[in-house]
Amino acid sequence: MSTAHRGGLAKFNMDEIMNCMHCGFCLPACPTYRETGLESQSPRGRIALMKGVANGQLAIDPEFEKNMYACLGCRACETACPAGVSYGSLVETAREVVEDDKKSGARQPFLRRLMFDHVFPYPERVRAAGTALWAAQSLGLQELANKTGLIRLLPREMAEMQQAVDRIASPKERKQRKPVMQAEGEAALKIGLFTGCVMDVMYFETNQATARLLTKAGCDVVFIEGQGCCGALHAHAGEKEGAIRLAKRNIAACEQADVDLIVNNAGGCGAALKEYHHWFHDHPEWRDRACAFVAKVRDAGELLAELPPLTFTKPLHARVTYQDSCHLAHGQGIRNQPRQLLKSIPGLELAEMNGADSCCGSAGIYNITNFDMSMHILDGKMEHVKETKAQIIATSNPGCLLQMKKGILRAGLEGKVEAVHLMDLLDRAL
């Protein structure tokens, strides 16, 4: 058995792999299986491949890598699974095994190393990238590149997705943010707002809206100093040690802030934050600290639904449909609270979408790494949106929001349908 295979056997949780009964309940829930009909593109099939690698019966080859990375990681299979198999952690381990095997051999792609080692771990560099994008927008360079066709110099996936990027907050706007926002009235809770990395650049105003909502609900809101990327993208991409380093930094920063709760507004980030304790099996000195951190984590919609009802003064006369964030619905089990909040807005009509909790195809950076499959899934999603006759698509994750904006463009619904983060929509009605 090769070193790589021995590593695979050690990393995989064989008890979890053996929990899979191969019953097939996951098949209709899996977007890639529905699209391809291939067993190797299903959770059941991928777990069988993992078992083969873990036992040394299969090689960690390009075919295994392709099947593991074709997965969206939406975790709809976990909701469908009668045995409660933790598929999300299994596929992350499979990708970790793939990346470890690649590191021991061929040189890793430059762009991957740049992003995971030299950009995402450094909040100031993420902000600098955001400033560069803001400058390009402000100077009209993005619009010019689109009009002249220069945008085609970018890889096709990036050229397509940039069309859905909203206006980036200016450096001045970001610097004006106060480190603490006081509650209206007597504060019931001291909240640490987890701002994320890309979220705080691309959707800065959504973070501000979230803070305003929490202050209206009677919370002091602290923008915790020293926080950074949650590590979800690293974990999903098999960069587990990098994810753990980021988790340690966030745990330490939140301990220093001494807050009652840690609140986030991104379904994908929230799922990672709530699973930090699972990342520290080999780091016993951090496990108790991670458990204490996880006990404080709440999604913004989850918490607002628990707090005294907000008083909305501005009716929103619109038909709205809600697109579940996969990691909010399947990863965190939060489904009713966002809908409860939407129904509390005067004048709003909630229209349920067929397959609302089925992945939109965003899945972190899947719409860049697996663009064609992502767009195929998105086009199907937009057909369901059309059926609702909604004027607004609300969602609770930045990746889903960007994907929905792209879907509106692809479906020819620009000017007729708007995609809005749940927190921004609630903020409008205050």
Side-chain angles (χ1 to χ4, degrees), residues 136-158:
Q137 290 178 334
S138 299
L139 295 170
L141 298 180
Q142 184 182 21
E143 184 179 0
L144 178 65
N146 279 311
K147 285 183 176 179
T148 61
L150 284 173
I151 200 70
R152 288 195 294 270
L153 293 174
L154 289 174
R156 178 174 69 106
E157 300 84 357
M158 295 181 70

Side-chain angles (χ1 to χ4, degrees), residues 378-392:
L378 175 59
D379 290 342
K381 173 67 67 174
M382 294 311 297
E383 290 302 313
H384 294 317
V385 169
K386 289 177 183 177
E387 291 168 3
T388 69
K389 296 181 171 56
Q391 298 150 298
I392 297 174

Side-chain angles (χ1 to χ4, degrees), residues 16 31 45 50 55 101 108 115 120 134 206 236 285-286 344 429:
E16 200 65 60
M50 294 176 205
N55 287 332
D101 185 66
Q108 290 240 295
M115 298 307 294
F120 286 125
W134 165 80
T206 302
H236 299 334
E285 72 280 11
W286 278 87
S344 69

Side-chain angles (χ1 to χ4, degrees), residues 20-28 30-50 58 63-64 66-68 70-71 77 87 373:
C20 177
M21 302 181 296
H22 302 283
C23 63
F25 276 90
C26 62
L27 300 183
C30 177
T32 52
Y33 180 78
R34 290 201 306 267
E35 294 295 333
T36 67
L38 298 173
E39 183 71 13
S40 61
Q41 297 284 292
S42 74
R44 178 177 71 178
R46 291 187 181 103
I47 290 174
L49 294 174
M50 294 176 205
L58 293 177
E63 184 66 18
F64 179 75
K66 182 186 79 172
N67 287 316
M68 295 306 111
C71 173
C77 53
Y87 174 81
M373 176 66 80

Side-chain angles (χ1 to χ4, degrees), residues 50-239:
M50 294 176 205
K51 181 180 178 182
V53 166
N55 287 332
Q57 296 169 331
L58 293 177
I60 306 171
D61 58 13
E63 184 66 18
F64 179 75
E65 178 182 358
K66 182 186 79 172
N67 287 316
M68 295 306 111
Y69 276 102
C71 173
L72 292 131
C74 69
R75 297 169 65 172
C77 53
E78 292 186 15
T79 299
C81 180
V85 175
S86 298
Y87 174 81
S89 64
L90 284 176
V91 78
E92 286 180 3
T93 300
R95 291 172 180 176
E96 185 182 1
V97 168
V98 167
E99 297 308 321
D100 285 351
D101 185 66
K102 288 164 72 174
K103 287 172 186 174
S104 66
R107 188 176 175 183
Q108 290 240 295
F110 169 75
L111 187 58
R112 180 186 175 92
R113 293 271 54 86
L114 175 68
M115 298 307 294
F116 285 117
D117 291 350
H118 303 290
V119 177
F120 286 125
Y122 300 95
E124 67 279 5
R125 296 178 187 177
V126 176
R127 289 192 290 269
T131 298
L133 182 52
W134 165 80
Q137 290 178 334
S138 299
L139 295 170
L141 298 180
Q142 184 182 21
E143 184 179 0
L144 178 65
N146 279 311
K147 285 183 176 179
T148 61
L150 284 173
I151 200 70
R152 288 195 294 270
L153 293 174
L154 289 174
R156 178 174 69 106
E157 300 84 357
M158 295 181 70
E160 288 274 351
M161 292 309 300
Q162 60 81 32
Q163 298 171 349
V165 174
D166 281 339
R167 186 189 74 85
I168 303 295
S170 70
K172 181 180 178 181
E173 288 174 277
R174 284 183 266 149
K175 285 180 180 178
Q176 287 175 340
R177 177 160 67 191
K178 298 176 181 178
V180 179
M181 291 176 64
Q182 301 290 341
E184 292 192 10
E186 187 176 351
L189 291 168
K190 181 182 178 183
I191 299 297
L193 188 65
F194 189 85
T195 56
C197 52
V198 175
M199 180 75 192
D200 207 36
V201 170
M202 292 187 64
Y203 298 109
F204 175 84
E205 183 51 37
T206 302
N207 279 341
Q208 295 298 97
T210 304
R212 285 193 292 269
L213 289 164
L214 290 167
T215 60
K216 291 276 187 183
C219 303
D220 284 342
V221 178
V222 179
F223 292 92
I224 298 172
E225 188 177 351
Q227 64 171 300
C229 177
C230 67
L233 288 177
H234 284 74
H236 299 334
E239 300 285 345

Side-chain angles (χ1 to χ4, degrees), residues 191-194 210 214 261-265 296 298-300 303:
I191 299 297
L193 188 65
F194 189 85
T210 304
L214 290 167
L261 295 174
I262 302 156
V263 176
N264 74 94
N265 55 22
K296 292 184 175 184
R298 300 287 189 280
D299 174 74
L303 179 61

